[in-house]
Amino acid sequence: MGRVTSDTTATDAAAQPAPEPPGAPPVWQRRLRRFGLPVRPQTDVRARLVPAFPEPSGRLWAVFGAGPEAAVRLTRWAAWLGPLLVALFAGVLRFWNLGSPRKVIFDETYYPKDAWSLLQYGYEGTWAKNANDALVGHPPELLLSPEHSYVVHPPMGKWLIALGESVFGMNPFGWRFMVALLGTLSVLLVCRIGRRLLRSTALGCLAGALLAVDGLHFVMSRTALLDLIVMFWVVAAFGCLLVDRDRTRARLAARLPVGPDGLLRPDEGVGDRLRLGWRPWRIAAGLCLGLATATKWNGLYFLAAFALMAVLWDVAARRTAGARRPFRSALRRDVLPAFGSTVVVALATYLASWSGWIATKGGYYRDWATSPEGRTGHWTWLPDWLRSLWHYQTEVYSFHTGLTTPHTYQSNPWSWLILGRPVSYFYEEPKAGQDGCTAAGSCAREVLALGTPLLWWAACFALVYVLYRWLFRRDWRAGAILCAVAAGYLPWFLYQERTIFLFYAVVFVPFLCLALAMLIGALIGPPGSTERRRTIGAVGAGVLVLLIAWNFIYFFPLYTGMPIPKSAWHQRMWFDTWV
């Protein structure tokens, strides 16, 4: 801070005050300096609309002997090379021994069989009661009939599972292949999203690496359930909105005038009246949110939350660009296009996902509109397929809201973040010499849907930190992370009587990892920190990351169904509720 000086001059009382230099802070801010309160420096509007990525220094590569030019080039390549390497690491983990256990585990009793039926008939048929054992028998049998069955989830996720089955066959590897692929790609997306959100390649790769070693994400990536597919499309939609945000704000910046000091200046005409035009990335986000909803209905919460968040981003962009009434400007120029790009596109995508059911005649409730019950009412002028589909949706809604059947592994969302009640997908106790058991007595084989404990518990503190950043520092990045976590987590508190499970939380795990990466970045310290501060922060952050990695390795046998001695299994049951 510079020397404190007087605001006025006493040399000539009649003299007019000298004109303020361009970019000077207002008088009231300069007066606060007398009390030791610093004034934020004036920054270019472009820097506030689209913050630049830090210029790579290349010091890391120089340590390994690279020349200055090569070091800078390699650092820039790291923007893609780093995320690809993290995704490769995640993929090796997820595809290793993917067909084990060679069983139909937990809810794989539904979705892989429905997926195969979609390939055969275009709708979900009926399987024999002993179909699970027949599928993994020697030789396997497909006990499927064209008689329709009642299913309670939209078909999109099952169509994706069917892609793997069509290539690799109706076996555990085939029905898990696409889920493992999407789990791997989600790690790549989080790396790139973290880089764009936090303006740091290192923190972006760290967020992806944390996701790669999260136990719940890992188990869900190796099991043919629908929730990880929802998660993938939600993360993809979030990334699309981030790109749209940057490009839209860059478009505003390009229309702003340049002041005498060479910096961009806010302009009321641009901020209030500029139309933002064609926004393909927002349409892509609507498509992804439609695919999420067409997999499971909890995608609707993300559709509502992300659509609102995107409009608020437009309001903030217009305010920064100089709009005097940013809310009114956004309401007049942005809300309707945003609704069409997200809600309308998502609805059209959802309807398209039912194409197989619509194009065939054998699906459940497919001919309801032509039944005596369906011929009555006020909407008989609509197409029969649409009325039948609407009736099907209302029946499914009644099922979901009325599902209160007790289950051994059900849990309340209050306990999710602390991993109060994980879900066991598979458990066996092979004897010595069986299924790879080498213990003197018996072994235990389990696939436990349990998040990496140290990661989740650290993420609880990270959520507190990002809440602080959002409330008191007005950090939009923290608000975006909180919005995604809230959309995936808070709605489940509305269904206290419903049968729900911890693995539903996988949909917001990527955002827990982003929150933790943001906290670790704060621990390391901002670029202007002293060398001592950065060193201490880096050591503390490194210890935390290494402990999380060790925790994942420690529980790895429980994530993959590896046979371990019963004593080792008991050691990993840290709480009675995990058994």
Side-chain angles (χ1 to χ4, degrees):
M1 184 175 66
R3 186 180 58 180
V4 176
T5 59
S6 174
D7 296 321
T8 60
T9 175
T11 57
D12 187 357
Q16 295 294 325
E20 297 288 351
V27 173
W28 68 269
Q29 286 188 354
R30 296 201 303 273
R31 286 176 176 170
L32 288 177
R33 295 183 181 182
R34 299 175 182 176
F35 303 97
L37 187 67
V39 179
R40 292 183 179 180
Q42 297 294 310
T43 59
D44 189 1
V45 177
R46 180 184 297 277
R48 287 188 284 142
L49 282 172
V50 189
F53 283 89
E55 281 296 322
S57 66
R59 288 189 300 173
L60 176 63
W61 295 105
V63 172
F64 295 98
E69 293 184 4
V72 173
R73 191 181 308 114
L74 288 170
T75 304
R76 288 174 177 166
W77 288 352
W80 273 104
L81 182 61
L84 287 172
L85 289 176
V86 174
L88 177 63
F89 166 72
V92 170
L93 286 177
R94 280 149 180 76
F95 281 97
W96 173 80
N97 204 18
L98 182 61
S100 177
R102 186 175 169 76
K103 302 280 187 180
V104 178
I105 64 175
F106 198 62
D107 279 358
E108 285 187 341
T109 189
Y110 302 116
Y111 312 121
K113 293 188 292 186
D114 288 343
W116 185 262
S117 179
L118 288 174
L119 284 176
Q120 309 308 311
Y121 309 126
Y123 62 89
E124 293 86 347
T126 301
W127 292 78
K129 290 185 178 180
N130 60 333
N132 289 354
D133 294 331
L135 282 174
V136 294
H138 299 282
E141 294 183 78
L142 303 176
L143 306 181
L144 172 65
S145 71
E147 178 67 23
H148 57 231
S149 63
Y150 180 55
V151 295
V152 294
H153 291 299
M156 188 64 239
K158 290 169 280 190
W159 277 114
L160 288 174
I161 294 173
L163 287 178
E165 295 174 342
S166 66
V167 176
F168 300 102
M170 186 57 173
N171 55 68
F173 182 87
W175 65 61
R176 295 169 188 162
F177 175 82
M178 283 302 298
V179 184
L181 179 61
L182 295 181
T184 302
L185 292 177
S186 67
V187 172
L188 176 63
L189 288 178
V190 168
C191 289
R192 292 289 298 175
I193 287 170
R195 179 181 183 272
R196 182 175 290 271
L197 186 71
L198 305 176
R199 288 302 195 259
S200 168
T201 300
L203 291 180
C205 290
L206 174 62
L210 291 172
L211 185 63
V213 297
D214 174 62
L216 182 60
H217 185 275
F218 177 75
V219 170
M220 296 298 289
S221 298
R222 293 168 54 88
T223 312
L225 272 64
L226 301 179
D227 299 85
L228 185 124
I229 301 175
V230 177
M231 180 275 305
F232 173 81
W233 293 120
V234 165
V235 170
F238 187 82
C240 290
L241 289 176
L242 279 181
V243 177
D244 173 75
R245 181 184 187 275
D246 281 353
R247 295 198 173 192
T248 300
R249 294 167 78 91
R251 190 178 305 163
L252 281 168
R255 298 292 298 273
L256 292 175
V258 180
D261 54 1
L263 301 179
L264 293 184
R265 305 183 65 174
D267 183 83
E268 180 181 344
V270 173
D272 272 324
R273 292 187 288 274
L274 180 66
R275 294 189 180 276
L276 299 178
W278 173 251
R279 301 175 69 170
W281 284 101
R282 179 172 282 184
I283 295 174
L287 174 65
C288 292
L289 291 168
L291 292 170
T293 306
T295 301
K296 286 187 78 172
W297 279 2
N298 56 327
L300 284 170
Y301 296 114
F302 288 95
L303 173 61
F306 284 3
L308 177 61
M309 179 179 70
V311 171
L312 292 178
W313 283 352
D314 287 345
V315 171
R318 289 186 178 278
R319 179 187 293 114
T320 304
R324 297 187 62 183
R325 299 177 178 85
F327 279 96
R328 189 176 74 175
S329 299
L331 183 63
R332 293 176 60 184
R333 306 188 188 280
D334 301 327
V335 169
L336 189 59
F339 181 83
S341 300
T342 54
V343 177
V344 174
V345 170
L347 178 60
T349 303
Y350 182 84
L351 286 175
S353 72
W354 286 88
S355 297
W357 183 90
I358 295 170
T360 59
K361 291 295 185 181
Y364 204 86
Y365 281 133
R366 178 61 183 85
D367 296 323
W368 174 86
T370 59
S371 67
E373 181 186 359
R375 291 194 185 100
T376 60
H378 301 289
W379 302 95
T380 54
W381 53 273
L382 290 173
D384 289 345
W385 67 266
L386 184 57
R387 292 193 295 120
S388 296
L389 181 61
W390 177 255
H391 178 72
Y392 197 170
Q393 307 308 296
T394 59
E395 292 297 310
V396 169
Y397 177 78
S398 299
F399 170 84
H400 284 303
T401 55
L403 181 59
T404 58
T405 306
H407 193 284
T408 304
Y409 292 105
Q410 71 182 69
S411 60
N412 192 286
W414 286 107
S415 69
W416 286 1
L417 290 179
I418 59 173
L419 303 174
R421 183 59 170 163
V423 183
S424 180
Y425 288 174
F426 167 80
Y427 183 82
E428 281 186 349
E429 293 187 4
K431 302 298 182 183
Q434 298 178 352
D435 294 331
C437 178
T438 58
S442 63
C443 292
R445 293 184 65 202
E446 185 171 27
V447 175
L448 185 66
L450 171 72
T452 303
L454 292 184
L455 191 157
W456 280 63
W457 297 339
C460 293
F461 293 96
L463 288 177
V464 174
Y465 170 72
V466 296
L467 182 63
Y468 156 76
R469 292 285 307 182
W470 179 56
L471 289 177
F472 297 102
R473 302 299 296 272
R474 292 296 187 265
D475 192 330
W476 72 271
R477 304 168 303 168
I481 293 172
L482 287 172
C483 176
V485 173
Y489 186 31
L490 296 184
W492 294 109
F493 287 91
L494 301 175
Y495 305 101
Q496 292 291 308
E497 302 299 325
R498 191 187 187 277
T499 307
I500 54 179
F501 303 91
L502 170 66
F503 66 81
Y504 295 172
V506 72
V507 73
F508 62 82
V509 167
F511 303 100
L512 295 183
C513 295
L514 287 169
L516 187 52
M518 191 172 181
L519 174 61
I520 289 174
L523 290 176
I524 296 174
S529 302
T530 64
E531 195 71 22
R532 176 183 175 84
R533 165 70 177 84
R534 300 273 287 182
T535 301
I536 294 175
V539 170
V543 169
L544 175 60
V545 172
L546 289 176
L547 286 175
I548 290 172
W550 163 83
N551 206 208
F552 174 76
I553 295 171
Y554 180 72
F555 284 98
F556 190 78
L558 298 187
Y559 298 145
T560 56
M562 295 172 59
I564 57 176
K566 283 294 292 292
S567 58
W569 179 83
H570 280 292
Q571 290 171 1
R572 287 164 173 79
M573 295 295 106
W574 286 0
F575 302 99
D576 292 340
T577 56
W578 290 9
V579 178

